[in-house]
Amino acid sequence: MTKKYSVLASLFLIFSFGFAQKTELKGKVMSISKELEGITITNLSSNYSTLTLSGGYFTIRVNVNDTLQFSGVQFKLKKVVVRPRDLTSDLFLVNLELISYNLKEVVIDQHKDINAVSMGILAAPAKKYSPAERKLHEATTGGGIVPLNPILNAISGRTNMLKKEIEVEKKEYTIRKLNEWFEASFYTERFNIPVDYIQGFQYFLADDPDFESAVRSKNKTLTVFLMGEVAVQYLNSIQE
């Protein structure tokens, strides 16, 4: 009986020593990635698992020489053996490496324009519409077998109204650019346009399709050249 109790006492001391050695380890996972929450930490010696909290912090019960396994979707698998000094440290730090993916090299030609056409998204450059042009485009296009919108708009006269709106918009743009490019003295000194007739001259220019096109293309040299031809006509008209 005495021998039996001695064996039980020894086993009790062994287990008690083992549990007494188990310590709550506080640690933190570190990495280049900022997504450090939800990383699985498994104590392979006790098969106990836990997850990291926000910021990569975690707590797990361990013994000296236990092996901890760290695993995450974007990280390389890592195993760390717990050492005696780890249990006395304020914070157990573990560095994890991101999984690297081999990507094909992409060479970008800096001299080549990158746009929807060059990338094959569009077959040709998409036309840029002004507000008035966009309204006319919507009014004159439709879907289905028989597009009703163009027919109804033509009957109601809305299409013609929108076309006139585009013409007004073009003239306003032309006059606005002329005011940005030239001072009043430019008209009086170069083309002998009286000061009181400068605004009328601008509207006269805006009625010329070739001049309007030159302004829209921002060709200032051509604009001045055409302005000289139109100035002669305008001066004759105001004299009459």
Side-chain angles (χ1 to χ4, degrees):
M1 290 291 296
T2 303
K3 185 176 182 181
K4 182 178 179 181
Y5 284 121
S6 298
V7 173
L8 291 174
S10 299
L11 292 174
F12 176 78
L13 289 174
I14 293 173
F15 281 111
S16 297
F17 179 77
F19 282 109
Q21 290 293 98
K22 191 173 284 293
T23 306
E24 189 175 70
L25 180 67
K26 295 181 180 180
K28 173 178 168 51
V29 169
M30 298 186 299
S31 177
I32 297 176
S33 172
K34 294 182 179 180
E35 300 296 328
L36 300 177
E37 185 177 355
I39 299 172
T40 303
I41 306 170
T42 304
N43 187 333
L44 299 180
S45 303
S46 63
N47 290 325
Y48 175 79
S49 296
T50 187
L51 297 175
T52 57
L53 303 176
S54 177
Y57 293 94
F58 66 90
T59 302
I60 189 170
R61 295 191 67 82
V62 297
N63 281 326
V64 175
N65 295 327
D66 280 358
T67 301
L68 300 181
Q69 177 177 280
F70 297 81
S71 59
V73 177
Q74 71 272 37
F75 299 104
K76 293 182 179 179
L77 187 70
K78 184 168 186 177
K79 295 180 181 180
V80 179
V81 177
V82 178
R83 298 163 298 180
R85 65 181 183 183
D86 296 329
L87 300 179
T88 58
S89 63
D90 294 332
L91 199 62
F92 179 59
L93 302 177
V94 180
N95 286 302
L96 296 184
E97 294 182 36
L98 288 172
I99 298 175
S100 59
Y101 298 94
N102 294 324
L103 300 177
K104 293 183 178 180
E105 183 179 3
V106 178
V107 179
I108 298 176
D109 187 355
Q110 296 180 352
H111 301 285
K112 184 177 180 181
D113 293 334
I114 300 176
N115 48 50
V117 178
S118 63
M119 295 176 67
I121 299 173
L122 295 177
K127 182 180 178 180
K128 295 181 179 179
Y129 292 100
S130 67
E133 288 174 336
R134 188 178 299 109
K135 291 178 183 178
L136 179 61
H137 178 72
E138 293 172 355
T140 55
T141 58
I145 300 175
V146 180
L148 296 178
N149 283 346
I151 298 174
L152 296 175
N153 287 323
I155 295 173
S156 64
R158 184 168 184 267
T159 301
N160 290 330
M161 181 189 68
L162 292 174
K163 288 180 179 179
K164 291 179 181 179
E165 187 177 335
I166 290 176
E167 293 304 318
V168 172
E169 187 182 66
K170 288 180 179 179
K171 291 180 181 180
E172 289 177 347
Y173 174 82
T174 300
I175 294 171
R176 185 169 65 253
K177 295 306 292 184
L178 288 175
N179 289 329
E180 291 176 3
W181 290 349
F182 307 110
E183 299 288 341
S185 58
F186 173 80
Y187 299 99
T188 57
E189 295 174 3
R190 184 153 185 167
F191 302 112
N192 298 320
I193 304 296
V195 176
D196 294 338
Y197 288 88
I198 291 176
Q199 189 174 12
F201 180 53
Q202 291 178 333
Y203 279 97
F204 196 80
L205 290 168
D207 284 332
D208 189 302
D210 293 333
F211 185 83
E212 184 273 331
S213 178
V215 172
R216 189 166 290 277
S217 62
K218 299 180 181 179
N219 190 335
K220 201 171 181 180
T221 302
L222 179 59
T223 299
V224 175
F225 175 78
L226 294 175
M227 194 181 294
E229 295 182 348
V230 178
V232 176
Q233 302 174 21
Y234 183 70
L235 288 172
N236 290 332
S237 66
I238 62 176
Q239 287 175 1
E240 295 175 357

